[in-house]
Amino acid sequence: MDADRWGSTIDRDDARPLHRQVHDALLTAIRNGKLPLRGKLPSERELVDLFNVSRITIRHAVRELISQGIVHSQPGKGLYVAEHVGGFELQVLKSFTSTALANGRVPGNRLLEAQVIRAPLEVSRPLFLPSGAEVLVLARLRLLDNVPVVIQTDWLPAAQVPGLADLDWSGGNRSLYAELKDRHHIRPVRGQTTLSARLATADEAEMLGLDLPSAVLTVDQIAFDDRNRPVNMTALVHHPERYPLTLAQADGGELEQY
């Protein structure tokens, strides 16, 4: 095997650490299609021979690719290029769970909070609720193939979703929108989204596996039903590499989804 095939050779005079050079070479091979989606990576032994580096160096490079969601491990089979290494299409009416499954990824989450609270003004106002009204706050750390990618917080009018806080939200495939539809006959039909970026807080960086200082992509969304009533407000904090976003646009600049 020829290391040039994978986009780079190891340069001992390069200022980058060896594991970073291996990481970058494999990433280049994935992005230019030499390692296709769902394609299997060479074995550890083959990568050692390919790049003429130690096993420790290879393992360090591979760990970074896994943590970025670019490569995933199939126990007993080896390492494979993730189904989706580009951006995930931004669709306000599509749940994280369904988006993950549509891209061949395994969704999961760690429950951070699920309780009914008195809404602060910045929550009650966009939900068209009176000051101090009760809302369900549902906060989860969302995972793809067991790797943290998004911190998601939802607020919903508590009066419209009785019992929703009592469900087991620690399960990997429980979809909020599916529960709203099946249990409460609530279906969002349109939404609005605001995108921004900022520096991660210390807690966010720890949950998402980021070094400080690091930037995060923030997405704020409100979904509405067919009577133009707010269904839920969502705040998302994205790991910029593990869960990048794309927008699909039609002629004239209008969004294809919404």
Side-chain angles (χ1 to χ4, degrees):
M1 290 183 293
D2 185 355
D4 284 331
R5 178 189 170 198
W6 307 103
S8 176
T9 55
I10 296 300
D11 182 357
R12 304 287 172 175
D13 294 325
D14 194 314
R16 293 175 298 162
L18 294 180
H19 75 269
R20 173 54 58 180
Q21 293 188 55
V22 173
H23 168 280
D24 292 349
L26 292 172
L27 183 58
T28 297
I30 291 168
R31 287 176 171 169
N32 65 22
K34 292 177 180 178
L35 278 173
L37 298 184
R38 302 183 300 279
K40 185 177 181 180
L41 269 69
S43 69
E44 183 179 273
R45 182 188 297 274
E46 289 174 322
L47 290 174
V48 167
D49 293 339
L50 179 68
F51 291 103
N52 192 27
V53 294
S54 69
R55 288 180 180 269
I56 293 176
T57 297
I58 294 298
R59 290 172 183 173
H60 193 165
V62 169
R63 277 199 304 268
E64 287 191 13
L65 291 170
I66 292 174
S67 72
Q68 293 167 344
I70 296 167
V71 167
H72 66 95
S73 175
Q74 293 189 14
K77 295 184 178 180
L79 296 167
Y80 290 80
V81 179
E83 177 78 15
H84 200 304
V85 296
F88 291 81
E89 189 172 349
L90 176 61
Q91 300 185 49
V92 66
L93 303 183
K94 192 170 183 180
S95 70
F96 175 90
T97 300
S98 59
T99 298
L101 294 174
N103 285 277
R105 308 292 290 276
V106 178
N109 66 260
R110 297 173 192 163
L111 181 63
L112 304 176
E113 181 182 6
Q115 63 175 323
V116 175
I117 64 170
R118 295 286 180 182
L121 188 61
E122 61 268 22
V123 172
S124 62
R125 180 176 291 170
L127 290 177
F128 300 172
L129 296 173
S131 178
E134 290 189 332
V135 294
L136 165 63
V137 56
L138 176 63
R140 293 169 286 173
L141 177 62
R142 311 309 298 265
L143 314 175
L144 284 178
D145 302 326
N146 208 36
V147 176
V149 295
V150 179
I151 302 168
Q152 176 175 348
T153 305
D154 287 278
W155 294 268
L156 304 95
Q160 296 180 20
V161 291
L164 203 64
D166 299 325
L167 299 179
D168 180 10
W169 291 101
S170 60
N173 290 327
R174 187 178 291 278
S175 166
L176 174 59
Y177 279 0
E179 297 295 342
L180 290 177
K181 177 183 177 182
D182 296 341
R183 294 176 180 271
H184 302 287
H185 309 292
I186 297 174
R187 187 173 69 89
V189 298
R190 73 173 187 89
Q192 63 186 41
T193 301
T194 302
L195 301 176
S196 188
R198 59 170 171 79
L199 292 177
T201 67
D203 287 344
E204 290 167 347
E206 181 177 0
M207 284 189 282
L208 292 174
L210 293 166
D211 295 325
L212 289 175
S214 289
V216 288
L217 175 66
T218 62
V219 181
D220 297 298
Q221 300 176 323
I222 300 179
F224 299 87
D225 65 14
D226 57 1
R227 297 173 62 183
N228 207 35
R229 297 175 302 185
V231 171
N232 71 305
M233 183 171 72
T234 306
L236 303 115
V237 179
H238 284 237
H239 190 297
E241 293 180 333
R242 297 176 187 169
Y243 203 86
L245 295 176
T246 63
L247 290 173
Q249 291 183 295
D251 290 343
E254 295 182 358
L255 291 180
E256 292 178 348
Q257 304 292 336
Y258 252 31

